[in-house]
């Protein structure tokens, strides 16, 4: 149902550092969660990494007496991994295009706290017409699965989504 535990990258040409990740995502601080892409194969899979720090904005208020990385932010990191794999599998987004999460199913098994390094592995399940992408994956900390996901993304032109207030 979900991909096997991610393996370490073996080909440096299939990795991405933080600067390159920013070229694939429109997200910026404080909503950019991926630190590194460890490995990828377009149309097949992507493995990314997120280092959770006590200095993250999300940790400051969640919760002051016991810091926990929000599950919604872990879901966003998973979606960002999927967005990159979607583009690698089709083409980069045009300036007037956006990706939207059509649906996401998630299951959380353990909390994630500052000091954890989360490895996210996503697998391409199905691509429909280059505009809809179905994918699944899991998040792992120290070989323990902390969450599992299934989702789909759609590619849309911003103008097709109605009047934009921005």
């Amino acid at each position: 149902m979900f991909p096997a535990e991610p393996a370490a990258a073996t080909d440096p040409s299939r990795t991405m550092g933080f600067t390159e990740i920013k070229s694939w995502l429109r997200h910026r601080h404080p909503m950019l969660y991926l630190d590194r892409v460890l490995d990828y194969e377009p149309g097949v899979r992507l493995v990314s990494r997120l280092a959770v720090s006590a200095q993250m904005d999300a940790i400051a208020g969640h919760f002051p007496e016991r810091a926990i990385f929000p599950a919604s932010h872990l879901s966003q990191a998973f979606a960002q991994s999927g967005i990159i794999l979607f583009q690698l599998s089709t083409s980069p987004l045009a300036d007037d295009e956006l990706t939207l999460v059509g649906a996401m199913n998630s299951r959380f098994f353990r909390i994630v706290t500052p000091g954890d390094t989360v490895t996210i592995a996503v697998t391409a399940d199905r691509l429909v017409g280059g505009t809809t992408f179905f994918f699944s994956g899991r998040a792992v900390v120290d070989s323990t699965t902390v969450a599992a996901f299934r989702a789909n993304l759609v590619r849309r032109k911003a103008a097709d989504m109605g009047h934009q207030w921005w």
Side-chain angles (χ1 to χ4, degrees):
M1 180 163 139
F2 296 105
E5 183 170 331
T10 55
D11 183 351
S13 69
R14 296 186 332 190
T15 64
M16 291 182 203
F18 186 70
T19 301
E20 187 175 357
I21 288 171
K22 290 191 303 184
S23 73
W24 288 96
L25 296 172
R26 299 242 166 84
H27 304 80
R28 294 297 178 260
H29 177 81
M31 293 302 295
L32 180 56
Y33 293 109
L34 304 181
D35 296 312
R36 203 171 288 273
V37 170
L38 303 175
D39 195 14
Y40 64 87
E41 183 177 348
V44 179
R45 65 183 173 75
L46 181 136
V47 180
S48 59
R49 180 150 295 154
L50 154 69
V52 177
S53 167
Q55 301 305 310
M56 296 174 99
D57 291 343
I59 298 293
H62 196 266
F63 296 94
E65 68 281 357
R66 181 172 183 197
I68 297 172
F69 188 67
S72 60
H73 293 252
L74 188 57
S75 298
Q76 178 65 16
F78 164 74
Q80 290 174 10
S81 296
I83 290 167
I84 295 172
L85 182 57
F86 185 15
Q87 292 179 83
L88 289 168
S89 302
T90 56
S91 63
L93 290 173
D95 289 343
D96 64 340
E97 289 182 316
L98 300 169
T99 54
L100 304 168
V101 174
M104 183 181 292
N105 293 321
S106 53
R107 184 160 182 193
F108 300 93
F109 303 106
R110 175 173 105 47
I111 62 170
V112 175
T113 59
D116 285 344
T117 298
V118 182
T119 302
I120 301 167
V122 297
T123 301
D125 296 331
R126 186 168 44 130
L127 180 62
V128 179
T131 61
T132 305
F133 182 64
F134 295 85
F135 63 111
S136 57
R138 63 191 205 143
V140 175
V141 173
D142 295 331
S143 75
T144 299
T145 299
V146 297
F149 304 92
R150 284 195 175 285
N152 73 298
L153 295 166
V154 294
R155 178 188 293 239
R156 296 285 184 261
K157 290 198 176 291
D160 293 343
M161 297 175 11
H163 177 71
Q164 304 304 311
W165 292 99
W166 64 85

